[in-house]
Amino acid sequence: MFENRKYIIIGVFCLVGLVYLTRLFYLQILDDSYSLESSSNSIKRVIEVPVRGQIYDRNGKLIVYNTPVYDLYVTPRQVRIPDTLAFCRLMGITVSEFDSLMAIAKAYSPVKPSLFLRQLSKEDFARIQDALVDYRGFEPATSSMRTYPARTLANALGYVSEITKRQLDNQETIYYRQGDYIGHNGLEEQYEEQLRGKRGVRYIMQNVRGIYKGSWKDGEYDTLSVPGQNLYTGIDIEVQKYADSLMQNKVGSVIAIEPATGEILVSVSAPTYDPNLLSSRHFSKNYVKLLRNPYKPLINRPVMASYRPGSTFKLIQALVAQQQGTLFPNTVYSHAGAPVKCHGHPGSVNLYGAVQYSCNPYFYHVFRRLMYNNSESNTFKASAAGLQYWHDMVQKFGIGERLGVDLPSELKGKLPDVEYYDKIYGTRRWKFSTVYSLSIGEGELLISPLKMVNVAATIANRGYYYTPHYIKGFAKPGHSVPEEYRERHETGINPKYFEPVIAGMRAAVTNGTVMRMANLPDVELCGKTGTSQNKKGEDHSIFIGFAPANNPKIAIAVFVENAGWGGVAAASVAALVTERYLKRRTDAKELEKFITEKNYMPAVVTSPPKPVVPKKKDTILKDSTRKPIIAKMAMNMIKSERAKE
């Protein structure tokens, strides 16, 4: 029995030994992976960076393309420089710059390659290529530089630059390495994953001097890089450049969308900058200069600036009140009992005339009746119930929330609710007379130009909208558009209630608050002017609208800061951009000359408007005392309204 057990034990040892020998044979003879890693001195792993996807406009015109350049990487542990001064002269840098660049590379890793110099032109690389053989530790890599032939749309496009340390450390899936380029802001960041493509890897043989000796194993282990996808946008680049020219010497924005799809046609942020400035070796210097510019050209105003909507907000008031059943097209209100002033139009008006002439007292009464249309007998409770209904209906227009545009920088804005006023004044210590400035788009409301052009598109569609977006597709237009941009958002307003409002908007352009020169033939522009209060200078000029009245092709919002009445500056720009888009030419030469010669640039740009927040001490006043104070505040806010706004 013991003799048999001995043979079993010997057999087990032999079997284990055979397994080990088989595994060693596989690793050393059949498997090349360990051979590859152990041959780092002769076999080099080269990352193939894919070509970044290009960006086109809606008509297939190139907006962004790639120019081939070279990057120079350094591995500090391998560096051998016989003459530092000669090396610096060759590279076109100073000795102090060299020391700084080497210190950064060593801090990253002494044994891993990191970026030393970037975006060397073909001519620069040809000059240093042969000399690099004498400087161990430096290796070139092909790359590309973003180029912007149209020199426009800088704020919406964003830029491509070196990845930051925070982005490098926060990668969920390791992809980038030190010195890699990545999209920042705008579409470049939003669609980074699609635009960047997929990397490839090559294994090459080299001698001890780093001279290329051929592909290892005939490229058996190489993987090809996959170029990034081309991005097609809804932008009309010709109209975009024209809108840019109209906004010279002005601060503000122009944004236009196609109501039927939500595609953004024009996106101007003024003042802007040439996007090529942030696509060169001088990125840091140019970025700092733009950052210090008092006119804030790096702010993407269409989605980041906040304003009070002014009289443009009256359109929403009219629609919500009709849906509630407290307003009808033939409803007439006089100016009596309203603490807000009128603009001098003839007599009492109905809904059509109120929109045409932008009647403040009319919409004061509309909002008052809307607020108190409930079963609550207590004034404070009734005001809270009314405001909550109003808030919920207005929110369906996309106000007070992020719409979801395909940019990483959209701001939410502000739509005050019951909780907001309870926090300021105390529960049941405020009522309609406290918040009536909301009736004419003032008070605590804050919106962006994107929100207001979406309102214009919603009215053009008679009650629904698609989330505004820049993308039209990848690889080709209409292909791979994210599903969220095809979803139809309903406002809950019956389409029949839009007709009297649209008729009033058309009348505002033909014979209302818009100056007559902006009523262009064959355009059929429907619009609404607005003046946004500004404590630190002239008020801001606003216009929203769409054209034509039936089957609209374009909705537009224009904000011109410090330009005063909305019927002049903003309406003029909107009319010209709409004409150019619909006709593909400009016939209104007189209007074009008028607005291009206007200079509304302030001496110092004011900060975006902030909501009026009552002081804490107001919350402890009795209602009879607080009411005249609030009324006086509202009167002060609207006293600078223009005679026709």
Side-chain angles (χ1 to χ4, degrees):
M1 182 176 65
F2 289 106
E3 189 69 22
N4 292 337
R5 188 178 296 174
K6 180 180 71 172
Y7 288 118
I8 292 173
I9 294 172
I10 293 173
V12 170
F13 275 102
C14 290
L15 182 61
V16 172
L18 183 62
V19 170
Y20 272 105
L21 288 172
T22 303
R23 180 61 178 165
L24 287 172
F25 177 79
Y26 173 77
L27 291 176
Q28 296 188 28
I29 306 300
L30 302 180
D31 186 11
D32 290 316
S33 59
Y34 283 91
S35 172
L36 177 63
E37 292 184 10
S38 65
S39 303
S40 58
N41 289 329
S42 58
I43 300 173
K44 183 180 177 183
R45 183 174 182 267
V46 178
I47 300 294
E48 290 286 331
V49 179
V51 176
R52 195 171 179 88
Q54 300 184 138
I55 302 179
Y56 296 83
D57 84 336
R58 67 188 301 105
N59 300 312
K61 294 183 179 179
L62 203 57
I63 300 177
V64 186
Y65 67 89
N66 304 297
T67 299
V69 290
Y70 295 87
D71 294 333
L72 191 63
Y73 285 82
V74 61
T75 306
R77 184 69 61 83
Q78 299 177 7
V79 169
R80 299 291 184 272
I81 301 179
D83 188 341
T84 302
L85 193 59
F87 177 81
C88 291
R89 280 199 296 265
L90 177 69
M91 297 297 167
I93 60 176
T94 64
V95 175
S96 61
E97 288 174 334
F98 169 80
D99 292 337
S100 177
L101 291 168
M102 287 300 297
I104 294 171
K106 288 176 182 177
Y108 169 67
S109 174
V111 295
K112 294 180 180 180
S114 61
L115 188 65
F116 184 76
L117 288 178
R118 67 174 183 174
Q119 295 178 338
L120 297 170
S121 65
K122 290 185 292 185
E123 294 75 17
D124 288 338
F125 181 70
R127 179 174 54 81
I128 69 172
Q129 185 176 14
D130 292 337
L132 280 178
V133 177
D134 299 324
Y135 299 102
R136 287 185 57 189
F138 293 92
E139 53 189 84
T142 57
S143 181
S144 60
M145 181 177 71
R146 297 300 251 180
T147 305
Y148 306 85
R151 299 177 182 274
T152 184
L153 212 65
N155 302 85
L157 290 171
Y159 54 90
V160 175
S161 67
E162 188 177 344
I163 189 170
T164 65
K165 187 179 186 304
R166 177 177 294 180
Q167 290 173 316
L168 204 59
D169 295 339
N170 293 340
Q171 295 182 79
E172 292 182 6
T173 303
I174 301 301
Y175 178 86
Y176 300 98
R177 56 180 182 163
Q178 179 75 17
D180 281 349
Y181 300 134
I182 188 173
H184 292 269
N185 299 332
L187 297 175
E188 293 281 15
E189 180 178 334
Q190 183 74 23
Y191 296 111
E192 166 67 17
E193 188 173 341
Q194 294 87 348
L195 289 169
R196 76 187 183 192
K198 294 183 179 179
R199 289 182 167 175
V201 179
R202 287 192 305 118
Y203 296 96
I204 63 172
M205 294 185 295
Q206 60 183 15
N207 63 16
V208 293
R209 294 180 61 84
I211 297 176
Y212 175 70
K213 290 297 183 180
S215 180
W216 187 71
K217 288 280 185 179
D218 293 324
E220 181 179 347
Y221 292 94
D222 294 354
T223 56
L224 295 176
S225 61
V226 179
Q229 299 179 61
N230 291 331
L231 172 63
Y232 284 81
T233 69
I235 295 292
D236 188 321
I237 198 64
E238 294 304 319
V239 182
Q240 170 74 26
K241 290 192 289 186
Y242 180 67
D244 270 336
S245 69
L246 297 177
M247 290 298 287
Q248 292 295 314
N249 299 317
K250 300 170 186 67
V251 178
S253 63
V254 180
I255 184 161
I257 65 178
E258 184 179 60
T261 62
E263 293 174 5
I264 295 175
L265 305 169
V266 174
S267 182
V268 174
S269 180
T272 186
Y273 60 93
D274 183 351
N276 291 294
L277 290 174
L278 300 184
S279 182
S280 69
R281 291 177 60 185
H282 308 293
F283 168 86
S284 297
K285 182 175 68 175
N286 291 336
Y287 186 85
V288 170
K289 191 178 295 184
L290 291 170
L291 195 63
R292 292 175 177 172
N293 188 320
Y295 295 103
K296 311 296 182 188
L298 290 173
I299 293 177
N300 189 12
R301 284 180 167 83
V303 299
M304 296 177 69
S306 291
Y307 307 87
R308 296 185 183 90
S311 293
T312 58
F313 196 76
K314 295 172 183 175
L315 302 175
I316 297 179
Q317 305 284 43
L319 293 167
V320 172
Q322 286 185 92
Q323 183 64 37
Q324 188 193 43
T326 56
L327 178 65
F328 303 93
N330 59 355
T331 300
V332 175
Y333 285 117
S334 70
H335 299 165
V340 291
K341 292 182 180 179
C342 184
H343 302 311
H345 60 78
S348 298
V349 292
N350 58 12
L351 177 57
Y352 170 91
V355 175
Q356 178 184 9
Y357 296 112
S358 192
C359 180
N360 282 337
Y362 189 94
F363 287 98
Y364 167 87
H365 290 301
V366 167
F367 189 51
R368 184 178 185 278
R369 190 172 177 187
L370 185 156
M371 287 272 287
Y372 287 136
N373 184 50
N374 52 65
S375 59
E376 296 288 350
S377 57
N378 181 282
T379 303
F380 298 101
K381 289 183 178 180
S383 296
L387 186 74
Q388 190 60 54
Y389 172 84
W390 170 85
H391 174 276
D392 294 344
M393 291 298 292
V394 172
Q395 195 173 45
K396 293 179 181 179
F397 286 82
I399 307 298
E401 59 185 9
R402 291 181 179 86
L403 288 171
V405 67
D406 47 348
L407 289 180
S409 54
E410 183 189 0
L411 295 185
K412 186 177 180 180
K414 183 181 287 296
L415 177 64
D417 56 10
V418 174
E419 183 181 354
Y420 177 82
Y421 288 116
D422 282 348
K423 185 177 179 180
I424 295 175
Y425 295 105
T427 305
R428 299 181 190 173
R429 302 202 62 184
W430 58 272
K431 56 183 180 177
F432 168 74
S433 60
T434 314
V435 301
Y436 71 80
S437 58
L438 297 175
S439 65
I440 57 173
E442 294 295 339
E444 294 79 15
L445 276 168
L446 281 179
I447 53 87
S448 65
L450 177 71
K451 299 276 178 40
M452 291 315 296
V453 75
N454 190 59
V455 169
T458 303
I459 296 173
N461 289 333
R462 277 68 171 174
Y464 66 89
Y465 68 90
Y466 295 95
T467 300
H469 55 280
Y470 289 85
I471 185 175
K472 194 175 179 67
F474 284 109
K476 58 182 180 180
H479 182 65
S480 301
V481 176
E483 192 62 35
E484 60 264 31
Y485 300 132
R486 300 178 182 179
E487 180 183 354
R488 180 164 150 165
H489 301 275
E490 299 286 349
T491 60
I493 305 291
N494 192 310
K496 69 180 181 181
Y497 297 136
F498 287 85
E499 298 310 323
V501 172
I502 291 172
M505 293 173 69
R506 179 62 184 144
V509 176
T510 58
N511 186 30
T513 55
V514 176
M515 71 171 186
R516 299 198 177 195
M517 196 162 49
N519 179 26
L520 306 182
D522 303 322
V523 173
E524 200 181 359
L525 180 63
C526 304
K528 182 73 190 71
T529 59
T531 304
S532 180
Q533 300 293 321
N534 176 30
K535 293 182 178 180
K536 299 181 180 180
E538 288 291 329
D539 293 335
H540 304 316
S541 176
I542 307 175
F543 179 90
I544 68 169
F546 58 89
N550 296 306
N551 192 23
K553 298 292 189 292
I554 180 174
I556 189 167
V558 178
F559 286 65
V560 184
E561 296 185 18
N562 304 102
W565 175 37
V568 177
S572 299
V573 172
L576 288 166
V577 171
T578 302
E579 181 189 47
R580 175 60 69 94
Y581 179 72
L582 294 177
K583 294 183 176 180
R584 313 308 299 177
R585 67 179 189 275
T586 299
D587 294 332
K589 298 296 183 182
E590 184 180 352
L591 180 63
E592 182 183 56
K593 181 181 179 183
F594 166 78
I595 199 63
T596 52
E597 290 179 352
K598 284 288 185 180
N599 186 340
Y600 293 112
M601 295 290 280
V604 177
V605 173
T606 59
S607 301
K610 296 180 179 179
V612 177
V613 180
K615 297 179 180 180
K616 278 284 185 181
K617 65 180 182 180
D618 290 338
T619 64
I620 63 173
L621 295 174
K622 292 182 179 179
D623 181 64
S624 60
T625 307
R626 184 171 64 249
K627 181 176 178 180
I629 293 177
I630 301 299
K632 186 176 180 180
M633 289 172 60
M635 290 293 288
N636 288 336
M637 285 193 297
I638 58 99
K639 68 180 181 180
S640 59
E641 286 276 336
R642 296 297 179 264
K644 294 184 82 177
E645 165 47 18

